[in-house]
Amino acid sequence: MYEMILNLETKSDKSLYERIYEHIRGEIRGGAIRCGERLPSTRLLSGQLDVSRSTVQMAYDQLLSEGYIESVPYKGYYVCQMEELYRLESGGAGGGEQKEEPPREYPYDFSPGGIDLDHFPYSTWRKLSREVLRDDQKELFHLGDPKGEYSLRSIICSYLYQARGANVQPAQIILGAGNDYLQMLLSRMLGTDLRIAMESPTYRHAYEIFRRLGYDCCTVSMDRYGMDVRELKESGADIAYVMPSHQYPTGIVMPVRRRQELLGWAAMREGRYILEDDYDSEFRYVGKPIPSLQGSDTQQKVIYIGTFSKSIAPSIRISYLALPLSLLERYEQVGRNFSCTVSRTDQKILQLFMERGYFERHLNRMRALYRGKQEVLTAELKQIKGVRRIMGGRSGLHILLQMTGRRTEEELVGLAARAGVRVYPLSEYCIDERTYEPTILLGYATMTEERIREAVGLLKKAWEAAG
């Protein structure tokens, strides 16, 4: 345990807690206190320094909020991982090299963006990888079709028809290494002198990418059915970005009537399109899968974007666009200048993975696994006093939680963090100034059922103790 030597009798304009905080922070940044080292308890340190316990607690709370230390339940305060901590090296007027500060690590993290990799079919993927490389297929090491391998695009078309009700041909499919690349490719095809309407809250990363590409982005309100089409008409938008099968992060499923209204908006003017992001439609736990919006499009107005990041693994980096026929000529003029960004060997492995039924079996296993985790999380949350609503449990990999009382999202997140649990406020996904009821996102994919129970137990103590 670290023993502090600090003289608080010298005169200073700063409060006692600030001096304690700055001393410990300096020791951590300078390496005098190593990562993983335990700090004295607030009771012990207050006795050593002859100050009140609340003064020490305030110093520790500041260190906690800045990510220098973490609170481990029933054990105490420990220094976080700090090997790559930002600091300016002394020596010379110009200072030293700046290093990136690592994100704070939590013992429990309800990340809504992760997946369960413990059940990834490693042996199958390894076997297929060896098979692809063993056959000495030299053509796989040449540049292929800019759209991606025809055989994989053909299988994706079959999958989309059977699982999503989408009606597309291989010529309409374009493969790319992640949605970011595909958004960039679209910007080259469509131009950026367009306005994109996005829901709020929404998938903020997509919003930021569109803005960096030069698009004029605006927000449109949502009701319980999804994007408000009347407000969309007034926005002057050319493209509507929506997630009709499972809106992120609210979990809203857009009903048929609203989908028809949205398609009607697009058909009213030449050059209007709907960008349908179908990011995790595979994971639905009640009823049949919701058909894609693309499957109802008779006017060639829907640009469909999908990914294998949620269904297989993020590092696979294989996403795909299904272009409407009206944009194929534009792609031939502009898009073919860009080579496919997905390795041909990875495309071949995925092709075999889908072709031989491994993908379908993997999805069935993961649906059952995620459904079990979601049921455990929901049941445990209901034991917390003050829980008002639990939403979004029918599909996806996260749920939304609303509490009674007047606590803000910031307060709920802060109390959870002090207990060693990371939760996510809905406000992080909002891109306008509208006010929303305080809501917490809890993703469950990366955690085991046992750790979900442990983490919710800590949340229960933290939130109920605060009143």
Side-chain angles (χ1 to χ4, degrees):
M1 181 187 295
Y2 171 73
E3 294 185 3
M4 185 181 302
I5 302 175
L6 174 60
N7 183 7
L8 295 176
E9 294 180 358
T10 57
K11 291 184 178 181
S12 174
D13 294 331
K14 296 182 178 179
S15 64
L16 290 175
Y17 99 87
E18 287 180 300
R19 295 171 67 184
I20 297 171
Y21 149 75
E22 290 182 352
H23 177 81
I24 299 176
R25 184 187 65 174
E27 295 283 86
I28 294 174
R29 290 167 70 93
I33 311 179
R34 299 184 301 276
C35 66
E37 191 163 356
R38 182 183 176 188
L39 297 181
S41 67
T42 55
R43 186 186 301 277
L44 179 60
L45 187 55
S46 64
Q48 291 177 353
L49 300 179
D50 195 23
V51 298
S52 69
R53 190 175 177 184
S54 62
T55 297
V56 175
Q57 186 64 59
M58 289 176 66
Y60 277 15
D61 285 348
Q62 185 64 32
L63 292 165
L64 275 168
S65 65
E66 293 185 13
Y68 288 98
I69 65 174
E70 63 181 358
S71 174
V72 180
Y74 312 113
K75 292 185 179 181
Y77 296 96
Y78 290 80
V79 177
C80 293
Q81 199 75 19
M82 290 289 166
E83 287 87 351
E84 298 298 325
L85 180 66
Y86 160 91
R87 60 186 170 194
L88 293 175
E89 303 290 349
S90 60
E97 179 183 357
Q98 181 172 319
K99 294 184 178 181
E100 181 180 357
E101 182 176 348
R104 176 182 172 185
E105 294 184 1
Y106 291 77
Y108 302 91
D109 190 344
F110 281 107
S111 171
I115 69 168
D116 186 328
L117 289 174
D118 291 335
H119 292 83
F120 178 80
Y122 292 101
S123 59
T124 299
W125 200 265
R126 188 163 48 244
K127 180 183 72 173
L128 295 176
S129 300
R130 286 199 299 263
E131 179 179 333
V132 168
L133 295 175
R134 185 178 59 238
D135 291 342
D136 295 332
Q137 300 181 61
K138 295 179 181 179
E139 67 274 10
L140 294 180
F141 294 90
H142 293 288
L143 285 176
D145 191 318
K147 289 183 177 180
E149 297 299 292
Y150 181 88
S151 54
L152 177 56
R153 290 188 282 124
S154 179
I155 289 175
I156 290 175
C157 287
S158 298
Y159 167 72
L160 290 177
Y161 179 74
Q162 295 169 9
R164 309 295 303 119
N167 189 13
V168 294
Q169 300 301 316
Q172 296 172 256
I173 299 291
I174 301 168
L175 303 179
N179 288 12
D180 299 355
Y181 168 77
L182 296 178
Q183 287 177 251
M184 183 277 294
L185 187 59
L186 273 177
S187 72
R188 302 283 76 81
M189 294 167 52
L190 300 174
T192 56
D193 189 23
L194 300 169
R195 169 171 279 197
I196 296 181
M198 301 187 71
E199 301 154 319
S200 182
T202 191
Y203 180 40
R204 198 178 185 104
H205 181 74
Y207 172 79
E208 296 296 343
I209 293 295
F210 282 131
R211 288 195 63 185
R212 288 185 173 90
L213 288 171
Y215 284 105
D216 174 20
C217 296
C218 66
T219 58
V220 173
S221 299
M222 287 195 300
D223 56 23
R224 62 194 181 102
Y225 302 121
M227 180 176 279
D228 187 326
V229 178
R230 286 179 297 180
E231 190 173 323
L232 173 63
K233 292 177 181 177
E234 297 170 357
S235 70
D238 305 286
I239 298 174
Y241 173 91
V242 293
M243 296 161 276
S245 295
H246 186 235
Q247 202 275 344
Y248 188 84
T250 65
I252 291 174
V253 176
M254 187 179 290
V256 172
R257 181 174 178 178
R258 180 60 53 85
R259 293 175 183 228
Q260 292 302 319
E261 292 173 348
L262 198 58
L263 290 169
W265 165 84
M268 287 173 62
R269 196 177 73 198
E270 187 69 24
R272 279 184 178 173
Y273 292 100
I274 300 168
L275 180 53
E276 179 182 11
D277 188 343
D278 203 14
Y279 68 99
D280 73 346
S281 59
E282 294 87 359
F283 302 114
R284 182 167 176 81
Y285 312 121
V286 179
K288 296 181 180 179
I290 305 298
S292 67
L293 182 63
Q294 195 278 345
S296 302
D297 177 25
T298 60
Q299 302 296 317
Q300 297 297 311
K301 289 291 185 176
V302 175
I303 303 168
Y304 182 95
I305 186 168
T307 180
F308 292 97
S309 292
K310 292 285 188 182
S311 57
I312 300 180
S315 66
I316 298 299
R317 303 303 295 163
I318 300 181
S319 297
Y320 52 91
L321 279 176
L323 293 177
L325 295 173
S326 57
L327 285 179
L328 281 184
E329 183 178 351
R330 185 61 179 160
Y331 171 79
E332 295 297 331
Q333 294 172 355
V334 178
R336 279 196 170 272
N337 295 326
F338 297 88
S339 299
C340 183
T341 52
V342 182
S343 160
R344 295 183 74 186
T345 56
D346 288 341
Q347 292 183 60
K348 184 65 176 180
I349 293 168
L350 178 58
Q351 173 202 327
L352 297 177
F353 189 70
M354 299 180 72
E355 194 174 70
R356 297 179 183 178
Y358 296 120
F359 182 54
E360 183 178 358
R361 290 194 288 273
H362 174 64
L363 286 181
N364 290 336
R365 284 194 299 269
M366 298 312 293
R367 285 191 198 102
L369 182 71
Y370 288 143
R371 182 171 59 246
K373 292 184 179 185
Q374 186 269 333
E375 290 173 352
V376 168
L377 176 58
T378 301
E380 293 297 314
L381 288 173
K382 289 180 179 178
Q383 305 304 312
I384 299 179
K385 183 179 179 181
V387 168
R388 187 169 70 85
R389 291 180 67 194
I390 300 174
M391 302 168 289
R394 290 177 173 267
S395 57
L397 302 179
H398 73 274
I399 61 172
L400 297 95
L401 173 69
Q402 292 179 346
M403 304 288 289
T404 58
R406 298 183 178 180
R407 291 203 175 275
T408 64
E409 288 181 355
E410 185 179 5
E411 289 172 331
L412 292 169
V413 171
L415 290 168
R418 290 186 187 126
V421 183
R422 186 175 187 184
V423 299
Y424 296 78
L426 181 65
S427 57
E428 285 189 359
Y429 304 90
C430 298
I431 51 179
D432 57 23
E433 296 181 355
R434 297 179 179 92
T435 58
Y436 303 88
E437 189 168 357
T439 305
I440 298 299
L441 271 70
L442 299 167
Y444 46 83
T446 62
M447 301 172 69
T448 64
E449 293 184 7
E450 179 181 358
R451 289 186 63 78
I452 289 172
R453 292 188 179 93
E454 294 171 357
V456 176
L458 294 174
L459 290 179
K460 176 179 171 66
K461 291 181 181 178
W463 288 344
E464 290 184 356

